[in-house]
Amino acid sequence: MEAMRVSFLSTTPSLVSLVPLPSLNSYPVGANRYLTRAGAIRCTKTETDHVFGEYGFHRRDALKCIGATVGMELLASSGSWVEMASAADLIQRRQRSEFLSSIKDTLSKAIEGNPDVIPSFLTLALNDAMTYDKATKSGGANGSICFSSELSRPENKGLSGAVRLLDDVKNEIDSYSKGGPISYADLIQFAAQGAVKSTFLAAAIRKCGGNEEKGRTLYSAYGSNGQWGLFDRNFGRSDAEEPDPDGRVPVWEKASVQEMKDKFKAIGFGPRQLAVMYAFLGPNQDATEALLATDPDVSPWVQKYQRSRETVSQTDYEVDLITTLTKLSCLGQQINYEAYTYPVKKIELSKLKL
């Protein structure tokens, strides 16, 4: 209690205001001896009755001041806990960032060694996410497409080779992961990201006459690498425990443009997103884009992205594709932002040799 009393008195001046004193000249000389003390202390406006002592100090005012002081002391004492929480958060962020960087390197090598798998990686990511149903909040980008019963469906024809390659990639990633195995849900979407980046880079190299060095420089200077921040943060998807319901994904090669629009609308997308994702709708990308151009709703967007791809930076096309893929890759997911983190081994200072 003694410590509390000292703390209260030390902080009271910052919590209350001094009541201004009338001019000494307005009082008789004999009364001046009562006004030589410090001004009367008040926390709030007081009435003229029910006060304690000559300073006009209410009991409720004292309680308010004490409560505020105790609260300030509690906040001050909690500072160390806040600092510890912030440090732990920074450690987890670094762990996830380093792990994600390693994943991207592994996927990049796999794509570079198997460039023919790029269209399959794109369709795999699309079809895995397209099982999302807004009404029941089920399905989505949950890795369920890797179940054999779902992978064997007509809409997923030709994707088994991509899944086998991802199995090999997953084994390699899991071998160096310190925070547990990577989910297929994450792996599929980041494989699509790697495939998209590969197509962006390939376009830059073509614009430089096939000169890879100049193409990489062009892509670094004008490309869209800086637009992937939100996609990268959405890292920590959970895998499904069973295949998603059948009949939710069209066979893109056989679907009409209206069927495609209806399916995209069902997950919250429109003609713009359909046009920008033409490369995800099966292996024959040119034929798919030509078909989309016949629809009056989709055609303006097809033409817009065709013009964009002819420019040096492809800005409109690349930014819109990244934005759409980011949204698609999170359908049906609650991202675990602590996924793949792990406890840090404590250093016993007593055992250090100085």
Side-chain angles (χ1 to χ4, degrees):
M1 291 300 295
E2 188 64 30
M4 177 66 72
R5 191 177 303 117
V6 172
S7 175
F8 170 67
L9 291 176
S10 65
T11 57
T12 296
S14 63
L15 296 173
V16 298
S17 59
L18 294 178
V19 177
L21 293 175
S23 171
L24 295 180
N25 295 329
S26 63
Y27 283 85
V29 175
N32 287 349
R33 68 177 182 274
Y34 299 109
L35 302 175
T36 56
R37 304 174 185 178
I41 299 176
R42 294 183 182 175
C43 292
T44 59
K45 182 179 179 181
T46 62
E47 303 295 336
T48 58
D49 54 354
H50 303 294
V51 296
F52 297 96
E54 60 183 315
Y55 296 106
F57 202 56
H58 277 284
R59 178 181 298 175
R60 64 173 177 270
D61 299 328
L63 292 176
K64 289 179 182 178
C65 292
I66 292 173
T69 303
V70 172
M72 292 173 63
E73 291 182 346
L74 289 175
L75 287 174
S77 64
S78 67
S80 59
W81 292 102
V82 173
E83 292 173 1
M84 290 173 63
S86 299
D89 183 57
L90 289 174
I91 291 173
Q92 289 184 343
R93 289 186 185 183
R94 186 181 72 246
Q95 290 174 349
R96 284 166 54 84
S97 177
E98 291 174 352
F99 183 47
L100 182 56
S101 179
S102 298
I103 291 170
K104 290 182 178 182
D105 288 342
T106 303
L107 282 168
S108 179
K109 293 176 182 177
I111 293 172
E112 186 176 348
N114 303 272
D116 293 341
V117 80
I118 289 177
S120 295
F121 273 178
L122 299 180
T123 305
L124 188 71
L126 176 67
N127 286 6
D128 189 43
M130 274 289 178
T131 58
Y132 179 65
D133 180 69
K134 291 177 66 175
T136 61
K137 306 296 183 183
S138 62
N142 56 19
S144 66
I145 197 170
C146 293
F147 286 106
S148 58
S149 59
E150 186 170 335
L151 186 60
S152 61
R153 294 171 185 169
E155 66 267 20
N156 297 326
K157 181 181 179 181
L159 300 181
S160 57
V163 173
R164 285 195 297 270
L165 179 58
L166 286 185
D167 284 336
D168 295 337
V169 171
K170 185 180 186 326
N171 289 334
E172 182 178 350
I173 291 172
D174 290 348
S175 69
Y176 59 70
S177 174
K178 298 178 182 179
I182 186 173
S183 67
Y184 276 103
D186 273 334
L187 187 60
I188 289 170
Q189 298 304 322
F190 279 97
Q193 181 197 47
V196 168
K197 285 185 174 182
S198 180
T199 63
F200 289 170
L201 176 60
I205 293 174
R206 284 196 301 271
K207 290 171 184 176
C208 292
N211 187 309
E212 183 174 346
E213 182 178 357
K214 291 183 178 180
R216 290 184 179 277
T217 301
L218 175 64
Y219 181 57
S220 298
Y222 296 100
S224 54
N225 266 327
Q227 302 296 321
W228 288 103
L230 181 57
F231 185 95
D232 288 347
R233 284 194 293 275
N234 293 329
F235 178 43
R237 299 170 182 82
S238 300
D239 280 340
E241 297 181 356
E242 59 184 8
D244 285 337
D246 197 359
R248 293 185 175 183
V249 183
V251 179
W252 302 112
E253 295 92 332
K254 298 180 180 180
S256 66
V257 179
Q258 187 59 51
E259 290 173 330
M260 295 182 190
K261 288 196 299 182
D262 290 343
K263 181 56 191 177
F264 270 66
K265 182 179 180 179
I267 64 169
F269 289 170
R272 180 177 188 170
Q273 288 75 30
L274 176 59
V276 81
M277 297 201 78
Y278 80 98
F280 288 65
L281 302 172
N284 195 339
Q285 299 173 358
D286 292 338
T288 300
E289 189 172 45
L291 176 62
L292 293 175
T294 64
D295 184 90
D297 295 326
V298 187
S299 180
W301 296 107
V302 171
Q303 296 174 24
K304 174 184 175 69
Y305 295 132
Q306 285 176 339
R307 291 192 297 269
S308 177
R309 294 199 299 272
E310 293 173 358
T311 64
V312 172
S313 62
Q314 301 191 138
T315 301
D316 289 341
Y317 170 67
E318 292 189 5
V319 171
D320 283 5
L321 179 54
I322 292 170
T323 302
T324 302
L325 180 58
T326 299
K327 182 177 179 180
L328 179 85
S329 69
C330 294
L331 290 176
Q333 281 286 343
Q334 292 290 332
I335 304 298
N336 176 12
Y337 294 101
E338 295 182 356
Y340 312 117
T341 60
Y342 51 90
V344 178
K345 185 177 180 181
K346 294 182 180 180
I347 300 176
E348 297 185 21
L349 297 178
S350 60
K351 294 184 179 181
L352 290 177
K353 295 182 180 180
L354 300 179

